[in-house]
Amino acid sequence: MNKVEHIGIAVKSLDVSIPLFEKLLNCKCYKKEVVQSEQVNTAFFQKGETKIELLESIAVDGVISKYIEKKGEGIHHIAFEVSDIDSEMKRLSNEGFVLLNEKPKPGADNKLVCFLHPKNTNGVLVELCMEVRQ
Ligand code: ZN
């Protein structure tokens, strides 16, 4: 793992939260992107080397809707950048961590991603992400 690539924050409404985070971080949202596979609308901010990813559900029964229902808005996951997602997935699986997807899947912001089950990580949902070269 190289660094914290981004922190994912579950929000009810991007219309409300984008202006809020623009004020908080004093920078503009640089990208909005729908991720159909996760049923989310995302919005990105860049601060130094780290990004903030706001996540808004686009489905009533989507993962972010369910998360907000249970825990309210707030930090949803921490994403670490990896150079080789396949070998990192293998390493973590061998260490006893449970991967939520068997193969890397397309995520927002031109990434391949894999999530680890929070039951093995002190309740923290961890995302591995690797930049896809174009
Ligand atoms: Zn993420």
Side-chain angles (χ1 to χ4, degrees):
M1 294 192 196
N2 302 335
K3 63 173 185 185
V4 174
E5 211 278 337
H6 66 269
I7 295 171
I9 298 175
V11 303
K12 286 180 188 166
S13 160
L14 285 186
D15 286 341
V16 172
S17 295
I18 288 175
L20 176 76
F21 275 80
E22 285 182 337
K23 266 190 265 181
L24 175 70
L25 302 172
N26 196 22
C27 70
K28 289 276 173 207
C29 164
Y30 72 89
K31 186 193 255 184
K32 282 174 77 174
E33 188 181 345
V34 177
V35 184
Q36 287 293 349
S37 59
E38 303 289 323
Q39 299 182 302
V40 290
N41 239 330
T42 63
F44 285 89
F45 300 85
Q46 178 99 42
K47 273 286 148 179
E49 290 229 311
T50 308
K51 295 164 186 160
I52 299 292
E53 175 187 42
L54 301 183
L55 303 151
E56 170 198 68
S57 187
I58 53 172
V60 189
D61 58 347
V63 285
I64 294 300
S65 298
K66 286 182 188 154
Y67 182 88
I68 290 176
E69 217 168 89
K70 251 168 75 181
K71 300 188 173 177
E73 294 179 296
I75 293 179
H76 177 258
H77 65 269
I78 299 178
F80 293 94
E81 180 191 270
V82 297
S83 310
D84 181 344
I85 197 165
D86 294 296
S87 73
E88 197 62 13
M89 285 169 69
K90 210 172 284 169
R91 183 185 76 80
L92 290 165
S93 174
N94 288 339
E95 293 283 4
F97 294 97
V98 175
L99 307 177
L100 289 179
N101 43 298
E102 272 178 38
K103 286 187 175 158
K105 59 180 181 180
D109 203 26
N110 194 35
K111 298 277 194 301
L112 278 175
V113 304
C114 175
F115 286 92
L116 304 186
H117 199 295
K119 75 177 177 187
N120 309 109
T121 54
N122 286 159
V124 179
L125 181 59
V126 172
E127 173 188 337
L128 310 175
C129 65
M130 182 175 77
E131 186 101 28
V132 180
R133 284 180 198 93
Q134 286 176 320

